[in-house]
Amino acid sequence: FPMPGGFDRGKNRMQQWILPDSPHPPASGRYHLFLNYSCGWSGQALLARSLKGLTEVVSISHTLQCPVRPNGWPILQPDPTGNGFTTACEVYNSNNPDYGTKQLTVPILFDKESKKVVSNDPAHILLMLNEAFGDAGNSLDLYPVDKRQEIEEVNSILYPGLNDGVYRCGFAQEDEHYLLAFEGLQAALRFMDQALLRQKFLCGDQLTLADVRAFPHLIRFDLIYRQLMLRASPPPPSLPDAVREYVRRLYEYPEVKVTCDPHLALVGYFAQLGRLRGLTKTIAEDDEMYEQYKYEWLPSKRELELKRKSEGLPEKAEHHLPA
């Protein structure tokens, strides 16, 4: 990839860094993440922030679960940055009023003091969350020097095979492109299965960025991707047993569980992509699908509604979709 009829994600357009003596120096309370519960890439940022103990250091706010053309993701109101942003487009154009609507993805790492976007690159955001804030977070190192080569080797398989692979399957226009992406997905699942049969995490006995990158996409796999992104033939795989058990174990960490709302993720995916696949569903149908396909250890819809309420978010899924 890319090839004609294939899916090309493209390069992230905002790639600056939080660094000492830079326009974006490290500081507690200065930075904000715009994200949502649907997006797996947002899930990575939420997870790194939580695992690193940065919930009081980097603030967050949620968008609605479905972007609206031409201005992208609507932002739940009020905007806590104090800028009155209502859409992702307005956040991006704070850097350059001529930016327009070129790329309006989440997550967005925003500097509240300079009123500029720092980065919309999920991989870079994870590195900054791990390294930029020093003692403001905890001592967990998700990207230790002695593991970096192994982490990137794992990523070289999981990014094209799983993270991006499900989209390459879902958006493939030709059979050959779908089969190529499907083979990559199967290879990624086999790799994880073999690794997790012999070790606790993807890079041994230590939680690393490899796990942060994988988990949000794995917890969506059987519930969402398998239903929405994969074709009936060849028969779509489920997560292997060792991988499913790994997802369950990770989910039981309080720092992980708090970052997940699989019901809202399902609602958001079908609102965004269901219409493209002829699979548009009502909220009631989404609810039925959630109960049908969720793992037995995932919370009920009602439990997740109460979680949203405790987070100051709208309780009902329909209030997370554009009118």
Side-chain angles (χ1 to χ4, degrees):
F1 283 96
M3 63 177 87
F7 173 65
D8 178 18
R9 182 169 295 278
K11 182 180 179 181
N12 293 296
R13 294 176 177 270
M14 299 279 187
Q15 296 178 319
Q16 302 175 73
W17 293 87
I18 298 172
L19 292 169
D21 302 317
S22 79
H24 306 292
S28 180
R30 176 165 177 159
Y31 296 96
H32 185 85
L33 281 165
F34 292 95
L35 37 69
N36 63 57
Y37 275 134
S38 291
C39 169
W41 313 101
S42 288
Q44 293 181 2
L46 272 171
L47 185 52
R49 171 181 174 267
S50 181
L51 288 169
K52 284 292 297 178
L54 297 173
T55 56
E56 301 300 320
V57 177
V58 178
S59 57
I60 62 169
S61 60
H62 289 256
T63 72
L64 296 183
Q65 304 301 312
C66 185
V68 178
R69 292 182 180 179
N71 294 320
W73 302 91
I75 294 169
L76 282 171
Q77 296 299 301
D79 167 27
T81 70
N83 292 291
F85 294 137
T86 62
T87 66
C89 184
E90 293 173 2
V91 181
Y92 277 97
N93 279 270
S94 64
N95 281 41
N96 177 357
D98 296 323
Y99 179 86
T101 60
K102 296 182 183 73
Q103 184 185 55
L104 302 176
T105 56
V106 291
I108 308 167
L109 181 61
F110 182 76
D111 184 335
K112 292 185 283 188
E113 186 169 317
S114 70
K115 299 187 178 183
K116 303 291 186 184
V117 174
V118 179
S119 181
N120 73 338
D121 187 313
H124 290 185
I125 291 171
L126 295 186
L127 292 172
M128 285 184 272
L129 291 171
N130 184 61
E131 299 174 9
F133 296 98
D135 293 340
N138 58 36
S139 61
L140 175 66
D141 187 359
L142 295 166
Y143 199 55
V145 173
D146 64 337
K147 289 280 188 181
R148 289 183 181 181
Q149 182 176 346
E150 184 179 2
I151 290 168
E152 294 310 323
E153 287 172 355
V154 170
N155 192 55
S156 71
I157 297 169
L158 298 194
Y159 175 80
L162 171 69
N163 303 131
D164 210 41
V166 291
Y167 293 91
R168 296 180 182 192
C169 288
F171 291 110
Q173 297 177 29
E174 304 292 341
D175 289 347
E176 63 177 305
H177 304 144
Y178 180 83
L179 291 173
L180 181 62
F182 187 75
E183 288 171 6
L185 172 61
Q186 289 183 304
L189 294 178
R190 285 194 301 270
F191 171 84
M192 287 185 286
D193 187 40
Q194 292 164 7
L196 293 167
L197 284 170
R198 64 177 186 270
Q199 60 198 31
K200 187 175 181 181
F201 299 109
L202 289 173
C203 290
D205 292 328
Q206 181 177 353
L207 184 69
T208 69
L209 279 187
D211 305 289
V212 173
R213 290 166 174 169
F215 173 83
H217 302 266
L218 291 172
I219 201 171
R220 288 161 172 76
F221 188 83
D222 284 327
L223 181 65
I224 299 168
Y225 299 150
R226 192 169 183 268
Q227 320 307 321
L228 187 58
M229 302 297 220
L230 302 183
R231 300 179 184 180
S233 180
S238 295
L239 290 186
D241 290 345
V243 180
R244 190 181 307 116
E245 174 59 18
Y246 159 79
V247 174
R248 186 199 64 78
R249 282 192 291 104
L250 284 181
Y251 182 79
E252 290 305 316
Y253 286 66
E255 300 89 349
V256 176
K257 186 180 294 187
V258 72
T259 69
C260 301
D261 190 329
H263 174 255
L264 207 53
L266 183 149
V267 170
Y269 264 92
F270 275 90
Q272 295 172 56
L273 302 179
R275 63 179 177 271
L276 300 178
R277 306 295 303 278
L279 295 170
T280 304
K281 295 184 180 297
T282 64
I283 294 292
E285 289 171 328
D286 288 335
D287 294 346
E288 291 177 5
M289 175 173 276
Y290 180 72
E291 293 301 327
Q292 179 180 357
Y293 291 109
K294 79 177 186 70
Y295 302 129
E296 66 279 1
W297 42 265
L298 283 175
S300 68
K301 181 192 80 165
R302 182 56 185 156
E303 288 172 319
L304 290 168
E305 288 174 342
L306 293 174
K307 176 179 180 290
R308 289 170 215 149
K309 185 176 181 180
S310 73
E311 295 168 352
L313 298 173
E315 186 175 332
K316 300 296 183 181
E318 52 263 38
H319 297 149
H320 291 263
L321 296 176

